[in-house]
Amino acid sequence: MLGIENLPKLAGPFLQTVSLERKSPAAMIQQLEQEHGGGMTKDLTKNRKVVMPSWTEDEEIKELKQSYSRNKVRTTKYTFLSFIPKNLFEQLHRFANVYFIFLGALNFVPIVNAFQPEISIIPIVFVMSITAVKDLWEDQRRRKSDQQVNNLLCDVFDR
């Protein structure tokens, strides 16, 4: 059986002496790099987030914060430059839009045109522009919602 007298022998590998001095996060990372040869701490710091009070700003903490990605929520589909290409790409994946564009293009061929070619394009351009305006409006609502969520205060718990 495991007795209390065997406890220090069993727990020996798991126990470490802990220094009571306060170290900055950068100093702790440097200590880890010295202990483990530098390779392990780079992998550890990629997945961690450091939250520091604003009154403890110094150069080491600023460098440490810059190594982490931001925690910003972004659910919008489009940017200013990508709206027209992405929206046209999405709308051309709808079979009805492709069909009416094909009929409008076919109406430009003199042998098969039924009426003036310019008039045949008006309905599909109207429908696609209304859909684009609707998508833009929805994306702006998403952007406003994201800004509200990103500007909320959060609680940070420490052990």
Side-chain angles (χ1 to χ4, degrees):
M1 293 192 90
L2 297 176
I4 293 179
E5 62 275 353
N6 293 333
L7 187 62
K9 189 187 306 178
L10 294 173
F14 301 105
L15 296 177
Q16 292 182 352
T17 59
V18 178
S19 64
L20 297 176
E21 66 184 58
R22 293 185 61 106
K23 294 182 181 179
S24 69
M28 294 167 81
I29 288 174
Q30 287 176 352
Q31 181 182 359
L32 277 174
E33 285 179 353
Q34 290 172 355
E35 291 174 2
H36 298 287
M40 188 178 119
T41 56
K42 291 179 182 171
D43 295 336
L44 289 175
T45 57
K46 285 182 184 176
N47 297 329
R48 291 186 182 172
K49 180 172 181 167
V50 176
V51 178
M52 291 301 212
S54 61
W55 62 84
T56 61
E57 292 290 328
D58 64 351
E59 290 298 321
E60 293 176 348
I61 294 175
K62 286 181 182 177
E63 290 175 11
L64 187 63
K65 283 182 181 179
Q66 290 176 354
S67 66
Y68 297 111
S69 61
R70 298 179 68 189
N71 191 18
K72 185 178 179 182
V73 175
R74 184 173 169 256
T75 59
T76 57
K77 284 188 204 177
Y78 309 109
T79 62
F80 180 73
L81 294 175
S82 71
F83 176 73
I84 292 175
K86 280 186 179 179
N87 193 272
L88 283 176
F89 181 76
E90 284 183 19
Q91 288 195 36
L92 292 177
H93 273 79
R94 296 184 186 127
F95 182 72
N97 290 348
V98 174
Y99 174 74
F100 283 109
I101 288 174
F102 174 72
L103 286 181
L106 194 60
N107 206 21
F108 276 93
V109 178
I111 298 173
V112 277
N113 66 351
F115 44 87
Q116 292 179 347
E118 296 83 17
I119 293 177
S120 66
I121 295 178
I122 291 174
I124 190 64
V125 168
F126 178 74
V127 169
M128 288 179 73
S129 61
I130 293 297
T131 306
V133 168
K134 177 193 67 95
D135 289 344
L136 182 66
W137 183 65
E138 287 177 354
D139 205 54
Q140 289 299 324
R141 286 182 51 206
R142 279 192 215 107
R143 184 171 282 116
K144 285 181 184 179
S145 174
D146 291 345
Q147 285 177 349
Q148 288 176 350
V149 169
N150 289 332
N151 291 331
L152 288 176
L153 293 176
C154 64
D155 295 330
V156 177
F157 296 100
D158 193 12
R159 294 182 192 181

